[in-house]
Amino acid sequence: MGEARPQMSLESRSGRQAPADAVVDPGLAESVQKTVHRLARQGPQVLRRPGTTLPRTAAYDLATAPGVLKGAGLFYGAAVIISPLSFLIMTGVQKAQGNTPVSVGTFVAVAVWVYVVIALLVGAIAWRLVLVPGGKRAVAEDLAAAQSRYLLLGEDLDGKDLEMVVRAQDAVNSALAAARFVTLVDPPNRTALAAGVWSMARRLAAGEPQGNGWAMIVAVEEYAERLEEASTAWQQELQAGTWKPGTMSAPLAKAVKRADAAGARAVTLAATV
């Protein structure tokens, strides 16, 4: 099958059955990687059998549908509630001005049309939000670009190999997440870490030795821990008001240095997998 850049949507470790996701070659374009991960979650059959006809759902991001529908429902519900209130306010104003208020029948007839128009508009907006840019044509182009450059978790990789890859993905995800909360450290080399996971997954899928795979996993997990320690130290100084831009206390500098060193070691090991 193909390759996949561990796009850090990685499933967390658990005792459940293998998740239907993929490892993708990090050399692929970001849009292609997203397409592979999305299809691995909602329509893996097209990844198992490249060249098959794409289902209609392939052009939609079903993961966003619940949120979009919820937002659309709230908007429509608000419109339904506001309309009667506006009628009461309007008739009150008309009576206060000595004018004949609009009849209930007229208002209901107008309101029904308004509700229909709002429903159509909300539905069209929701459809556009769920539709993948470029539609099925763009999806087909992404799949062609990803040919033989992704591995399906639970199929191309299973058992202990799958556990190892998922743990590696978890470790990289944790490091990337922790790095977002501390800007004092060197930025994580996402590409190098992802390439290490991809290389390990590809070797395991081919039945080859995993090399320094476990060493890389342990190093990345340590990197994530060191980033969290640096983040905690920085947050404590921020809350205490003792941190000044361009300066670092001895404890904070030590934590940052340890995080950077752990990151360098993780990247070095990732290159040897």
Side-chain angles (χ1 to χ4, degrees), residues 40-74:
R41 290 191 298 269
Q42 67 186 44
Q45 67 276 5
V46 300
L47 297 176
R48 297 189 192 105
R49 296 183 296 276
T52 58
T53 302
L54 290 176
R56 184 169 298 179
T57 56
Y60 298 91
D61 187 351
L62 302 183
T64 64
V68 170
L69 292 176
K70 181 179 179 181
L74 291 174

Side-chain angles (χ1 to χ4, degrees), residues 35-159:
T35 294
V36 173
H37 282 285
R38 179 172 57 79
L39 292 178
R41 290 191 298 269
Q42 67 186 44
Q45 67 276 5
V46 300
L47 297 176
R48 297 189 192 105
R49 296 183 296 276
T52 58
T53 302
L54 290 176
R56 184 169 298 179
T57 56
Y60 298 91
D61 187 351
L62 302 183
T64 64
V68 170
L69 292 176
K70 181 179 179 181
L74 291 174
F75 181 82
Y76 189 73
V80 170
I81 294 173
I82 291 173
S83 294
L85 294 177
S86 65
F87 172 73
L88 293 175
I89 294 173
M90 180 177 64
T91 54
V93 171
Q94 289 175 331
K95 288 180 180 179
Q97 293 176 342
N99 299 322
T100 301
V102 176
S103 67
V104 174
T106 300
F107 173 79
V108 170
V110 173
V112 169
W113 281 106
V114 171
Y115 291 157
V116 170
V117 171
I118 292 176
L120 291 175
L121 288 174
V122 169
I125 293 172
W127 176 76
R128 291 296 300 175
L129 290 175
V130 176
L131 180 67
V132 174
K136 289 178 66 174
R137 179 177 179 179
V139 173
E141 291 175 350
D142 285 347
L143 285 179
Q147 196 93 18
S148 301
R149 299 179 68 181
Y150 56 83
L151 296 168
L152 291 177
L153 302 184
E155 296 189 26
D156 297 313
L157 291 162
D158 55 21

Side-chain angles (χ1 to χ4, degrees), residues 220-241:
V220 176
E221 288 176 340
E222 180 183 359
Y223 180 33
E225 293 175 3
R226 296 291 176 259
L227 286 169
E228 291 175 359
E229 291 174 0
S231 177
T232 299
W234 189 32
Q235 291 301 320
Q236 289 175 345
E237 293 194 10
L238 285 174
Q239 293 173 4

Side-chain angles (χ1 to χ4, degrees), residues 149-213:
R149 299 179 68 181
Y150 56 83
L151 296 168
L152 291 177
L153 302 184
E155 296 189 26
D156 297 313
L157 291 162
D158 55 21
K160 291 185 178 180
D161 292 343
L162 172 62
E163 293 178 6
M164 185 175 183
V165 172
V166 171
R167 180 171 171 180
Q169 291 179 322
D170 282 347
V172 174
N173 276 346
S174 297
L176 295 176
R180 289 200 296 265
F181 299 101
V182 52
T183 58
L184 301 179
V185 300
D186 294 335
N189 191 332
R190 179 190 183 114
T191 301
L193 296 177
V197 177
W198 166 241
S199 177
M200 179 178 66
R202 188 169 52 179
R203 289 171 65 93
L204 291 172
E208 300 174 1
Q210 48 83 16
N212 288 328

Side-chain angles (χ1 to χ4, degrees), residues 1-21:
M1 299 289 290
E3 313 170 5
R5 148 185 180 168
Q7 190 191 343
M8 313 314 137
S9 65
L10 315 170
E11 310 277 349
S12 58
R13 289 172 300 221
S14 70
R16 68 171 184 258
Q17 191 173 0
D21 205 338

